[in-house]
Structure formats: C-alpha cells, structure tokens
Amino acid sequence: MARAFLFVLDSVGIGGAPDAAAFGDAGADTLGHIAEACAAGRADRADLREGPLRLPNLTALGLGQAAALATGRVPPALQGEATGRYASAAEVSNGKDTPSGHWEIAGLPVPFDWGYFPVAIPAFPAELTRRLIAEAGLPGILGDRHASGTEIIAELGEAHLTTGKPICYTSVDSVFQIAAHEGAFGLERLFETCRIAHRLLAPLRIGRVIARPFLGTSAADFKRTANRRDFISPPPSPTLCDRVEASGGRVIAIGKIGDIFAHQGVSEVRKGEDDAALFGLAADAVRSANNGDLVFANFVEFDSLYGHRRDVTGYAAALERFDAWLPNATAQLKPGDLMILTADHGNDPTWAGTDHTREQAPVLITGGGVAPGSAGRRESFADVAETIAAHLGLAPGPHGQPIPLR
C-alpha cells in the first residue's frame, strides 16, 4: 500500500475561472496579481520582504505553469521548467467558500445552493435573532451586519465587554460568525452559542457558523485566538475521507480540516496556533503516517490574515515562507508516496471588497513515479480526490476523473 498527502493552500487561486463573471470576479487572479505587485516593487517592506516573488520550490513543482493553464500567462518570476506534474482545476460547485471548495476537493461537489444574508442592516432575520437570544440566554447581540472580523471586533469589542452581548456578523459567504471574549464571555459558552445558532440556521442552508474568540482589553490590543471552531453539517454523501477510513486507512486532519467535514471521515485532528505550527505538524505527519493513510492539511493564514485583509505584501511573504518550508515535507516522502498541493478558491488581495474570489486552483503533484509535465485543465476539483483514490487503490467515486501521473 501507499500513502497520500493533500495540502490545501487556502485561497491561493490562479485566476481564470470560466464562470468568474457570474460571481463579479472576472479578472481576479490571486497569484498573478501578487506576483505582478512584487515585480513592480509594490509589495516591498524592509522588515518583511522585498523584490520579485521568490517561490523556487513551488515553481519547480509547476506553479507558474499551472497558472499559465488558467490564464494564458506565467506570473512574473515564476518561469522555469517544472520537475513535478501540474494542472489547473475549475470548481463546479456553486459557491466560492471553504466548505464548497474542500468538499469538492474531497470528491463531492456541493449539490445545492447555500443560503446567504442580505447586505443590509440588520442582516439577520428578526425571528432568528430573537430565538438565538432566548435559547442561548443572551442579553442581546451586537453587529448584525456584513463586516470584516478584525474590524468589527476592534469597533465593538469594548461594548461587548461592557454589555456581555456577543458580536454577530456575516460576509458574502454563507456564514454566521460569532465573536466573543474568550475570558469574559467564556470559550465553552461561545461554542454552545454557536451550536444553537447552527441548529437554528439549518433551514436557511447557511454553510457555517464560526466561533471567533478573542482576547484583550481594548480596541488597541484585541486579538483573535487560535481557538476558532467551525460548525457545519456533515457532507451529504461519502467523501474521499470516508472512503479512506472504510478501506482501513487513517485520515489525519491538520488545521481546520476536521471542522470543515464535521469530523466525518476524520480519524485524528491535529491543530496549531498558526501556520508555522501547522507546518511542523504536517512535516511530522509526513514522517509518521502509515501505509494507506491520508494526511489532509489546510494552511489558513493566506486567506484569513492576508487575503481578506487585502494585504498583498503579507500574502507574498506568507507564500515565500511556505515555499521555504516545503522541502521539509517533500524530503520525507517515500518511494510509494503521492503529494498534491492545491487550493479551495481565490482571495485576490488586490481585488475590491474583502471576500473570496472565484478562481481556478493549482494542482501540483509530486512523488515516486510521477512524471513531470502538464496534466492540462481539469473540469472539477474532484479530480484531486480521484487521483488520490486511484493511488491508494480505492474504488472510483461518482465525481471526477483521476489525473494521469505518467
């Protein structure tokens, strides 16, 4: 038997989604626009990074060439011969959110439309708010609108500490987020409030309820903690994770993967306080995974810290940190292993607003016996799941096609 490693670089899209215009994202290109900004000197910061985007390891795996499949051009400074196998992949699910992207990567395109809240104040139905307050025993809520998480915590955090009312907000994604002070409100109370909200929101098909705990005493020092938790209904049909477990293998979930799949088909969860910690956990998993295992990791900070905050320089630096770390994982691969790097959507830090962008995802494949070169444009993220399933000797799933590796 063999081992498989699936690493999701959260929001590292490569532009060119065929249906981007339907989402208001025609021309969005996370990787390409970051590379262009770096090449033009617009992403320089002396204490963080300077100059063209430096991603030698990802470039060798074919990142620049995958981007060219999506957009017709190689981003600046990402030219070079690929020693890995590469492809671009379009999403067939109707959303551009985390669950849609990850479920499709795991072989299950989302077969329905998520619900969304209107861009209005208040954003939430009055009956929903009334029931949440009553069933969770709250003195009320703050927010009740579309907002950036860090901005609304800075704005309303002090009022939250004074009143005890949690901060509830949303975005253009299918999400209901609840921010509360980890000490004053209590972490377990926050999680229970989110569980109640998740149950109440089920008829509206809201994709996720996210607990956003924070610490600090004022707007000057409020900071979200690593105890975020996502509450989501289980996928409606088996995913790659379920199929791996059914075959006797383990699914080792690193980062928020367990939450994304409602812990269905997940054997073990390993979480860290930031991506640097997740890098270490991922490298450890590459060393210790058994035959038949799938290590499934999400590296979230590209999205959460830099994409949503439209921080081009920070995003570029995060890409360069990941690239520098990557050999720590690839060096641990055994002859029968397969590693795939991909993304779940885009989040172009040069784009308007603060939300995800509809883009294609890179698919970078390496491992023993994998021939370098292009595997072309793939019609669904589900091809990733079928490639791993074929590698692990699993029966084909109902969606997607295996990517030829030779």
Side-chain angles (χ1 to χ4, degrees):
M1 296 179 70
R3 310 185 303 166
F5 304 93
L6 175 53
F7 292 170
V8 178
L9 283 64
D10 200 309
S11 86
V12 183
I14 53 174
D19 57 358
F23 292 81
D25 294 330
D29 183 357
T30 300
L31 179 67
H33 288 158
I34 292 170
E36 289 169 1
C38 292
R42 299 194 305 272
D44 290 354
R45 208 175 87 191
D47 64 331
L48 190 60
R49 67 155 320 277
E50 291 181 319
L53 191 60
R54 291 183 289 273
L55 305 177
N57 297 302
L58 288 167
T59 299
L61 289 181
L63 179 60
Q65 301 301 325
L69 289 172
T71 66
R73 64 188 185 280
V74 177
L78 300 187
Q79 297 86 357
E81 184 177 355
T83 60
R85 198 151 186 83
Y86 59 87
S88 64
E91 185 174 7
V92 300
S93 301
N94 288 333
K96 55 177 180 178
D97 50 78
T98 294
S100 295
H102 280 77
W103 289 8
E104 187 169 327
I105 288 168
L108 181 64
V110 175
F112 53 80
D113 290 329
W114 299 108
Y116 301 90
F117 294 111
V119 182
I121 300 175
F124 308 131
E127 180 62 12
L128 168 68
T129 301
R130 185 194 68 77
R131 292 186 62 187
L132 178 62
I133 290 170
E135 296 190 29
L138 304 173
I141 67 169
L142 301 171
D144 201 349
R145 64 179 189 264
H146 286 241
S148 158
T150 52
E151 291 176 2
I152 202 168
I153 289 170
E155 177 188 346
L156 298 178
E158 292 178 22
H160 161 67
L161 289 174
T162 300
T163 65
K165 299 176 181 179
I167 303 166
C168 300
Y169 60 102
T170 187
S171 72
V172 296
D173 292 330
S174 182
V175 66
F176 186 94
Q177 305 198 61
I178 307 179
H181 194 278
E182 193 167 301
F185 191 85
L187 191 60
E188 288 305 318
R189 185 183 179 200
L190 173 58
F191 291 161
E192 181 57 25
T193 302
C194 288
R195 291 186 189 98
I196 294 168
H198 181 254
R199 173 171 50 80
L200 296 175
L201 288 162
L204 301 181
R205 288 193 180 274
I206 300 301
R208 286 181 294 167
V209 175
I210 304 179
R212 292 287 195 179
F214 65 95
L215 289 172
T217 59
S218 71
D221 66 354
F222 287 140
K223 184 177 181 180
R224 296 194 295 200
T225 76
N227 290 318
R228 161 184 170 158
R229 184 175 296 179
D230 293 37
F231 297 82
I232 185 170
S233 298
S237 301
T239 68
L240 173 68
C241 302
D242 299 296
R243 293 155 65 190
V244 169
E245 279 204 323
S247 74
R250 294 180 303 159
V251 176
I252 301 170
I254 295 176
K256 64 180 185 178
I257 293 296
D259 289 345
I260 292 169
F261 290 91
H263 297 271
Q264 179 175 294
V266 172
S267 314
E268 182 180 338
V269 174
R270 302 179 187 179
K271 288 191 173 184
E273 64 179 4
D274 54 24
D275 274 5
L278 296 180
F279 293 165
L281 293 172
D284 288 343
V286 177
R287 282 190 289 270
S288 62
N290 299 323
N291 286 335
D293 288 352
L294 168 65
V295 176
F296 196 168
N298 172 281
F299 301 110
V300 70
E301 290 183 349
F302 303 109
D303 184 61
S304 62
L305 295 187
Y306 308 113
H308 287 300
R309 300 182 189 184
R310 297 306 189 243
D311 181 353
V312 176
T313 303
Y315 206 132
L319 285 167
E320 290 170 341
R321 285 193 296 271
F322 178 85
D323 189 87
W325 165 80
L326 185 57
N328 291 289
T330 55
Q332 307 296 326
L333 294 176
K334 299 177 181 178
D337 290 344
L338 182 73
M339 177 179 286
I340 299 181
L341 278 61
T342 190
D344 54 340
H345 50 70
N347 202 344
D348 188 339
T350 73
W351 210 241
T354 61
D355 297 300
H356 298 156
T357 44
R358 181 76 164 187
E359 301 179 39
Q360 292 193 57
V363 182
L364 311 180
I365 310 171
T366 189
V370 175
S374 174
R377 301 181 67 168
R378 314 301 300 185
E379 295 182 357
S380 171
F381 291 178
D383 288 5
V384 172
E386 290 313 296
T387 304
I388 291 173
H391 176 74
L392 293 178
L394 308 180
H399 306 285
Q401 298 293 327
I403 297 172
L405 301 181
R406 296 171 181 83

